[in-house]
Amino acid sequence: MNGQMRSGKTRPLLPRAFVDAASAEADAVVLPRLDEVGGHPRPSGIGVTYAEHEFHTLADEQELIWPAEGEHAARSFQVRARGLDRLTAATELLLSVQEQEMRQARTDYQHAAWVLTPFARREPWAKLRYWVCWPVLWFGDTAGVWSAAVVNGDVPFIAFGQSLASGLAAACAGLVGAELKYIRMAKARRRDPESLSEDEQRYAQLFASTDEGYGIVKFIGCFSLVVVALLAVGIFTLRAGIEGSASGLTFGLLAAATAIGSGLLGYSAADEVADLLAAMEKRAHKAEQRYLKLAKSSAFRGKAQAEETARSLRDEYHLRGQAAGKRAESLAWRVQRRNPQALGHGYPVGDQGGIIGRRVRRGGGA
């Protein structure tokens, strides 16, 4: 016990073991006996005994050893936290930039939605309907050409590539329908630049004249009609050579109907204002997702966990040290209680909190 408590080793005993060992040592302290006394106060000629000094010093030692042990236990976590300083600083910088981007994107979307929503004409599910139906038209036309090509004796995978291209051409021929819808809606929105409000000025291009692009749209529309005609004639020729003119005419008309249907589908789903709002909402959503991804960075979590663990260990060992010091100090009183023949049974009346027996602090002060 003495060796463990007085040798200056840095690792203290566990609380229960310390209490038991210190109690046993305190019980073993015997001061020289004087004449038997009963109910006598502490002799005025006795100050602080060596035994009391010893346990007071032991209490001071515990209040130093236990925090040191806590620092030792917390060291690896503190080192881990410091090792993440640079990474968390860089991540915080990116996070602050991303936060600005997220706020700006969300603000832009909210402003655009407030100003432009009255000009949107597309029903809520029109875009979903478009993305469901457009591939169906594409692959439907592809299947018709592919089956005819295979029956005609072409290699299946080669025929599939050619059929896929022709089906895509038929589906894309109808995209001009969206441009026609844009022109019609732009004409309905057209306003004199001077009549636009301050908020509407940010979206002046949506209210500008569209006359300059109408000729190009007509030119593209003519090309789309040529594509429709070529597909219809091509499929008619292919099917007619295999299954007869009636079958060729049927599949040729179906190919033309597919292209025209694609145009009508594009026309119904087209809405420049709604597309702009959807793009701005998507931008805001992606900015929020990137922000949340950075906020969930393992660097923040790892550093916070390490710092909290280190803090908790230091606090725990500091409290343990205080408790061990109090226990050691109580043993000084235990020595006096078990040796009344030398120290009496207590303080004289009027001196309950007196200097006699008071703990001596480090440095020799009472």
Side-chain angles (χ1 to χ4, degrees):
M1 166 64 189
N2 287 333
Q4 289 179 307
M5 297 180 65
R6 301 172 185 168
S7 63
K9 291 183 179 181
T10 58
R11 291 188 65 84
L13 294 173
L14 294 176
R16 187 68 259 170
F18 167 76
V19 171
D20 294 341
S23 298
E25 181 170 351
D27 290 343
V29 174
V30 178
L31 300 181
R33 294 176 61 86
L34 300 177
D35 294 334
E36 294 291 340
V37 296
H40 284 193
R42 181 180 182 116
S44 59
I46 297 179
V48 182
T49 64
Y50 294 145
E52 292 175 84
H53 273 292
E54 178 182 4
F55 283 98
H56 292 160
T57 304
L58 175 61
D60 290 340
E61 179 190 26
Q62 294 303 309
E63 293 184 5
L64 292 174
I65 290 181
W66 279 95
E69 185 70 12
E71 188 67 27
H72 174 75
R75 183 175 299 128
S76 61
F77 298 99
Q78 194 62 34
V79 169
R80 184 190 308 171
R82 294 289 73 78
L84 292 171
D85 280 348
R86 183 63 62 86
L87 180 58
T88 53
T91 306
E92 285 177 352
L93 177 61
L94 293 177
L95 191 63
S96 63
V97 173
Q98 188 59 47
E99 181 181 3
Q100 294 177 359
E101 180 181 343
M102 177 193 67
R103 291 180 182 277
Q104 187 62 51
R106 177 56 60 180
T107 300
D108 290 344
Y109 167 68
Q110 291 175 341
H111 183 271
W114 177 68
V115 175
L116 299 178
T117 296
F119 300 99
R121 295 292 180 267
R122 185 170 63 204
E123 58 271 23
W125 298 103
K127 202 66 176 180
L128 177 61
R129 183 179 63 229
Y130 174 81
W131 286 114
V132 170
C133 296
W134 192 79
V136 172
L137 294 175
W138 175 13
F139 285 108
D141 196 69
T142 297
V145 178
W146 188 30
S147 62
V150 171
V151 172
N152 196 41
D154 289 346
V155 178
F157 71 89
I158 295 178
F160 178 76
Q162 186 64 42
S163 303
L164 192 65
S166 64
L168 181 60
C172 291
L175 295 179
V176 71
E179 295 296 331
L180 295 174
K181 180 71 170 294
Y182 290 154
I183 291 175
R184 187 183 73 81
M185 296 188 67
K187 287 183 177 180
R189 291 192 306 267
R190 186 165 52 191
R191 299 254 300 277
D192 189 299
E194 300 298 329
S195 67
L196 298 178
S197 66
E198 182 177 353
D199 291 320
E200 291 173 340
Q201 288 286 350
R202 293 179 58 176
Y203 316 101
Q205 74 279 6
L206 296 175
F207 302 96
S209 174
T210 60
D211 293 339
E212 295 180 359
Y214 186 66
I216 297 177
V217 173
K218 290 194 296 184
F219 184 71
I220 295 174
C222 291
F223 268 109
S224 298
L225 292 176
V226 171
V227 171
V228 173
L230 291 175
L231 285 171
V233 172
I235 293 177
F236 169 78
T237 303
L238 178 62
R239 285 284 181 173
I242 300 172
E243 303 172 0
S245 59
S247 178
L249 179 61
T250 299
F251 280 93
L253 293 176
L254 288 175
T258 299
I260 295 173
S262 175
L264 295 175
L265 183 65
Y267 186 90
S268 68
D271 189 330
E272 189 176 9
V273 174
D275 289 340
L276 176 62
L277 292 176
M280 297 183 75
E281 183 180 17
K282 186 176 181 180
R283 174 194 166 208
H285 180 69
K286 285 187 175 181
E288 291 170 356
Q289 292 300 312
R290 289 193 295 268
Y291 178 80
L292 290 176
K293 184 177 180 180
L294 282 173
K296 294 177 182 177
S297 171
S298 59
F300 291 134
R301 183 170 60 254
K303 182 179 179 181
Q305 290 174 344
E307 288 181 337
E308 181 61 20
T309 302
R311 183 205 62 78
S312 178
L313 285 171
R314 288 196 183 99
D315 289 350
E316 176 187 350
Y317 278 82
H318 178 72
L319 293 173
R320 288 179 181 272
Q322 289 182 332
K326 293 295 183 181
R327 183 62 181 176
E329 187 176 357
S330 73
L331 296 178
W333 296 100
R334 187 184 184 105
V335 171
Q336 297 175 67
R337 177 176 63 81
R338 293 179 61 84
N339 292 274
Q341 67 276 19
L343 301 175
H345 293 91
Y347 291 117
V349 176
D351 195 20
Q352 297 297 325
I355 295 177
I356 297 176
R358 190 171 68 185
R359 176 177 175 182
V360 177
R361 304 302 301 173
R362 290 185 295 275

